[in-house]
């Protein structure tokens, strides 16, 4: 079977918009969370978010085109440009029909929806923008990136809530393995720190209300966790068939070796209490990667900092790995970035690729009072320099969607 490797990374996140800075902050255990500034959150129960600051889309999109894009597409375009430059690939020299784009999102153009709904309500239907639909639909990020680089191969978006980017990476891997493409630009993007996005999650009581201490609000697997912190961002990866990458002398971060997916078929928002669905996805990822539980060095957990997820995910890891779970390192980078929803799996895959390259496992920060029901090695508060050979990344979405991606050191 054709092997798939990662040759380029690009990120837009609450920790920054360039890869070296973001990786340095992840290793240092720095938080990118703070009080919301994008809108007046005075009346909201949760006033905390992972906002993207110092973001300048002009490096990837001209100002006229920016006015026709939602922020989630702008994030994707900037991250894609960084990833393409990092990979060193020249798309103009490639067979465009062998180049694909699969960039996912959980919600898409929420800010556009807010603005246009207000406009049509207050000023009438004639004031609705003709760009509203292409601005807000989730597949537009993939379409815009394809137009920019002339990619005429597989092109679509996966929408599975917070598992979207990981599902996208998995189907991208399958597409390259099957010979449908040689290179796929893949990942996720999200721009949901809006009044509607925060308001909706507040109504579900899903968000942390630790408003007096924002940087400590996301505390996965800690007994005092009280909800997740919503965040914006994007992460794009260049996935490439191994021999194609070698032929052009590309640097290789790691191999994308396995993928598993499943459904809880249990509840629209709550995870299955047993963790069986997530465990099946993890087992499938290991099986397709040709590895055993004893081979796993590190798992980047979904780790949302909610009561239900963190206990369930711990059970799922134990269910999938058995006794080997006692020796595996597990951390949640959401403790630093917050939860980027549909982009989370892309960002966390990038973190895993960097962990494999540099043999460093990023920590779970704010982990001071371990929950007795969460009893794994969560790499608390400090990064760990250690041997890392095989990694997993878990993503779990509303609707019972489970995805797990497996990576190998090359």
């Amino acid at each position: 079977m054709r092997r798939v490797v990662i040759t380029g990374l690009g990120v837009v996140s609450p920790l920054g918009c360039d890869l070296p800075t973001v990786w340095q902050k992840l290793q240092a255990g720095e938080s990118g969370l703070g009080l919301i500034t994008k809108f007046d959150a005075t009346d909201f129960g949760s006033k905390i978010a992972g906002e993207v600051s110092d973001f300048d889309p002009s490096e990837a999109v001209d100002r006229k085109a920016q006015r026709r894009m939602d922020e989630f597409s702008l994030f994707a375009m900037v991250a894609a440009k960084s990833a393409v430059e990092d990979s060193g690939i020249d798309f103009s020299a490639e067979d465009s029909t062998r180049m694909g784009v699969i960039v996912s999102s959980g919600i898409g153009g929420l800010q556009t929806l807010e603005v246009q709904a207000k406009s049509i309500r207050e000023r009438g239907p004639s004031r609705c923008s003709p760009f509203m639909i292409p601005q807000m639909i989730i597949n537009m990020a993939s379409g815009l990136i394809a137009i920019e680089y002339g990619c005429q191969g597989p092109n679509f978006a996966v929408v599975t809530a917070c598992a979207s980017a990981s599902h996208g990476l998995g189907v991208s891997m399958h597409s390259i393995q099957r010979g449908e493409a040689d290179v796929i630009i893949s990942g996720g993007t999200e721009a949901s720190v809006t009044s509607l996005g925060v308001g909706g999650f507040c109504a579900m009581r899903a968000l942390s209300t630790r408003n007096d201490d924002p940087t400590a609000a996301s505390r996965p697997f800690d007994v005092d966790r009280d909800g997740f912190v919503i965040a914006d961002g994007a992460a794009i990866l260049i996935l490439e068939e191994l021999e194609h990458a070698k032929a052009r002398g590309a640097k290789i971060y790691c191999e994308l070796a396995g993928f598993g997916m499943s459904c809880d078929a249990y509840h629209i928002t709550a995870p299955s209490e047993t963790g069986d669905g997530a465990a099946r996805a993890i087992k499938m990822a290991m099986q397709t990667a040709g590895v055993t539980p004893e081979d796993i060095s590190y798992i980047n957990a979904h780790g949302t900092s909610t009561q239900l997820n963190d206990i369930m995910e711990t059970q799922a890891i134990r269910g999938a790995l058995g006794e080997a779970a006692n020796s595996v390192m597990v951390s949640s980078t959401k403790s630093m970035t917050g939860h980027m929803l549909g982009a989370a799996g892309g960002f966390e895959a990038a973190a895993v690729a960097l962990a494999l390259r540099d043999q460093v496992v990023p920590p779970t920060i704010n982990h001071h009072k371990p929950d007795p029901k969460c009893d794994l090695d969560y790499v608390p508060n400090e990064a760990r320099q250690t041997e890392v050979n095989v990694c997993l990344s878990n993503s779990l979405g509303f609707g019972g969607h489970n995805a797990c991606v497996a990576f190998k050191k090359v």
Side-chain angles (χ1 to χ4, degrees):
M1 183 175 289
R2 286 156 53 99
R3 294 170 65 188
V4 182
V5 294
I6 297 170
T7 58
L9 302 173
V11 295
V12 170
S13 80
L15 293 175
C17 299
D18 70 278
L19 197 64
T21 297
V22 170
W23 182 226
Q24 185 276 324
K25 290 182 178 180
L26 282 174
Q27 293 176 84
E30 293 187 27
S31 173
L33 309 182
L35 294 175
I36 292 171
T37 64
K38 290 181 70 176
F39 62 91
D40 184 359
T42 301
D43 296 330
F44 289 73
S46 178
K47 302 171 175 45
I48 316 160
E51 296 183 340
V52 175
S53 59
D54 300 323
F55 174 69
D56 182 9
S58 299
E59 62 183 76
V61 184
D62 67 51
R63 294 195 179 278
K64 182 179 179 181
Q66 287 176 37
R67 294 194 292 270
R68 300 176 180 179
M69 295 185 193
D70 188 88
E71 197 169 42
F72 91 105
S73 290
L74 291 173
F75 287 161
M77 290 292 284
V78 171
K81 182 176 186 291
S82 297
V84 170
E85 290 177 351
D86 184 47
S87 75
I89 191 168
D90 179 3
F91 280 97
S92 67
E94 299 286 343
D95 178 353
S96 61
T97 65
R98 305 288 300 167
M99 307 290 111
V101 185
I102 301 175
V103 174
S104 304
S105 182
I107 298 177
L110 196 55
Q111 184 69 56
T112 294
L113 180 63
E114 282 189 25
V115 170
Q116 293 303 313
K118 184 175 186 290
S119 178
I120 200 170
R121 183 175 62 249
E122 295 180 354
R123 304 166 68 189
S126 66
R127 305 304 296 179
C128 186
S129 170
F131 297 105
M132 183 191 75
I133 300 301
Q135 279 182 298
M136 63 178 286
I137 54 178
I138 291 175
N139 61 294
M140 193 51 64
S142 287
L144 289 166
I145 293 169
I147 291 168
E148 178 68 20
Y149 297 103
C151 300
Q152 296 180 310
N155 187 288
F156 56 93
V158 178
V159 184
T160 50
C162 304
S164 298
S166 290
H167 272 113
L169 291 170
V171 296
S172 297
M173 181 192 77
H174 288 163
S175 187
I176 294 173
Q177 287 176 335
R178 289 194 299 262
E180 298 167 352
D182 295 322
V183 177
I184 295 184
I185 301 171
S186 188
T189 183
E190 203 77 87
S192 296
V193 181
T194 71
S195 57
L196 195 58
V198 175
F201 283 114
C202 279
M204 295 173 61
R205 299 183 180 179
L207 300 181
S208 171
T209 56
R210 194 182 291 267
N211 298 312
D212 58 343
D213 194 5
T215 60
S218 183
R219 43 183 56 234
F221 309 108
D222 188 274
V223 73
D224 290 334
R225 67 191 183 279
D226 71 330
F228 76 85
V229 177
I230 192 171
D232 283 345
I236 302 296
L237 295 80
I238 306 300
L239 307 185
E240 194 164 351
E241 193 272 325
L242 176 60
E243 297 306 319
H244 184 279
K246 285 181 177 180
R248 67 179 188 86
K251 74 173 183 300
I252 294 173
Y253 284 96
C254 63
E255 181 177 0
L256 180 56
F259 174 61
M261 54 184 168
S262 68
C263 183
D264 289 348
Y266 173 73
H267 190 272
I268 59 172
T269 56
S272 170
E273 295 176 0
T274 64
D276 177 66
R280 285 187 286 110
I282 295 169
K283 289 178 181 178
M284 189 183 301
M286 291 190 293
Q287 179 182 0
T288 56
V291 298
T292 67
E294 290 73 22
D295 294 323
I296 307 302
S297 307
Y298 166 56
I299 299 174
N300 189 299
H302 189 56
T304 58
S305 186
T306 61
Q307 286 293 330
L308 293 179
N309 174 89
D310 294 2
I311 295 172
M312 179 281 296
E313 190 172 9
T314 299
Q315 293 173 335
I317 292 170
R318 286 202 169 279
L321 271 64
E323 287 298 315
N326 292 321
S327 57
V328 72
M329 294 172 286
V330 180
S331 74
S332 173
T333 47
K334 289 185 180 74
S335 60
M336 294 171 273
T337 65
H339 193 350
M340 289 185 268
L341 307 180
F347 183 89
E348 289 151 17
V352 167
L354 292 165
L356 282 163
R357 183 194 69 179
D358 293 348
Q359 299 289 282
V360 178
V361 173
T364 304
I365 69 168
N366 303 319
H367 190 72
H368 304 298
K369 297 180 181 179
D371 186 335
K373 295 181 181 178
C374 300
D375 57 355
L376 299 172
D377 175 5
Y378 301 110
V379 194
N381 305 308
E382 293 185 4
R384 196 173 296 172
Q385 187 89 44
T386 186
E387 184 178 7
V388 186
N389 293 309
V390 182
C391 302
L392 304 176
S393 180
N394 294 336
S395 296
L396 317 172
F398 284 174
H401 307 292
N402 306 304
C404 180
V405 189
F407 307 81
K408 289 180 179 178
K409 182 181 177 183
V410 176

